[in-house]
Amino acid sequence: MVRCKKKYLLNGCLLAIVTTTITYIYSTNPDNQNHSNYQHGGHNRIVPKRRKFENVVQNEPWTDLKEETGLNSRYKVNNNHNKFVDNGENRSKDNSAPLKEAELGLIRTEEDRKLREEGYRKHAFNEFISSRIGNHRDIRDSRNSMCSSLSYPTTLPKTSIVICFYNEAWSTLLRTVYSVLDRTPYSLLQEIILVDDFSDRVDLKKQLDDYVGSNLAPLVRVIHNQKREGLIRARMVGAANATGQVLMFLDSHCEVNVKWLEPLLTEIQKDRTTVTVPIIDIINADTFEYTTSPLVKGGFNWGLHFKWDNMRLDYKNKQSLIRPVR
């Protein structure tokens, strides 16, 4: 009985080896690897294509801001477009010429690898790529195509933009500020207030003060909290120091898009008690690729957990896709 079991076991092992060998030979034969036309049966491993990193080209340099604004002479307002422009002197020394999009995440040295890992550890995003993008970049207009035909009042309230941060990465903080300057009409911008909620990073203290003072003052100013206040109290500090007619709060690692402010102010002008929130697009934490957000709105469930809900829209009525949603 024991011998019989050993015999069966030996035969089974030999059969398994032969079957595996035949299967391997069959699967490695080029004639048998393409099964894409079969509805069922063999399948190929799908290798994901490398995602194209779009819109990382830096904006054209600014030219100079109007002298009556009191800003540093290297700025001015371009009256043709009512936008801020920069003559190129504004670029920080570490903001080198744009790399090709395929090179943004390229690790060339051990030092590059350490910088990338350190960025993830501190900020949970790829600061290595962020710093290579620079202070300015073009992003595609992600609005519905019908939005380009909309018009807004010529007289809208001036806005104080409050940006609170704690140990924010230098590159994302400055790109947030410059994106506001690049895409906001001068007539609507009262000031940008950066509230440092007691960061312990050295570059966010005197270095930031000196940079803002030399390049962005007095339109942009920095307030340093003397103790950690938390997000809401830090925003209240910014609000207490604001002089604009409207308060706008932004995260310290975001980028605004084309015509981002006008529709928000239009609804506030209709009713000063209105609180407006824009569609929030997505910046990939690993690649910094900018992608369009689906039409969703934020809300809380009964457990007070924040979540995104799909909007209930009348897709048969195209105008409902660009109207404000309550």
Side-chain angles (χ1 to χ4, degrees), residues 195-213:
V195 182
D196 168 27
D197 194 20
F198 205 55
S199 299
D200 52 30
R201 289 184 50 169
V202 177
D203 60 339
L204 298 178
K205 300 300 183 183
K206 186 177 184 302
Q207 181 179 338
L208 179 61
D209 293 341
D210 292 344
Y211 183 90
V212 170

Side-chain angles (χ1 to χ4, degrees), residues 159-191:
T159 306
S160 293
I161 296 177
V162 178
I163 301 174
C164 301
F165 65 91
Y166 172 73
N167 286 346
E168 183 60 66
W170 178 272
S171 61
T172 49
L173 178 61
L174 285 185
R175 194 160 54 252
T176 298
V177 173
Y178 281 118
S179 77
V180 173
L181 294 175
D182 289 341
R183 302 186 182 97
T184 306
Y186 170 71
S187 59
L188 302 182
L189 187 57
Q190 176 74 13
E191 61 198 345

Side-chain angles (χ1 to χ4, degrees), residues 90-104:
N90 174 52
R91 301 292 178 92
S92 58
K93 293 180 180 179
D94 60 345
N95 191 13
S96 56
L99 294 168
K100 296 179 180 179
E101 60 184 35
E103 296 177 342
L104 284 170

Side-chain angles (χ1 to χ4, degrees), residues 4 14 22 27 33 42 52 62 85 99 103 109 119 141 145 149 160-161 169 171 187 193 208 214 226 258 263 290 319:
C4 187
L14 291 173
I22 294 174
S27 62
Q33 287 184 354
K52 185 177 180 181
W62 297 4
V85 287
L99 294 168
E103 296 177 342
T109 65
D141 186 349
S145 59
S149 63
S160 293
I161 296 177
S171 61
S187 59
I193 301 175
L208 179 61
S214 300
Q226 299 306 306
V258 179
Y290 185 101
Q319 289 299 314

Side-chain angles (χ1 to χ4, degrees), residues 80-92:
N80 294 330
H81 303 287
N82 201 22
K83 295 284 182 80
F84 294 100
V85 287
D86 170 12
N87 64 3
E89 295 176 7
N90 174 52
R91 301 292 178 92
S92 58

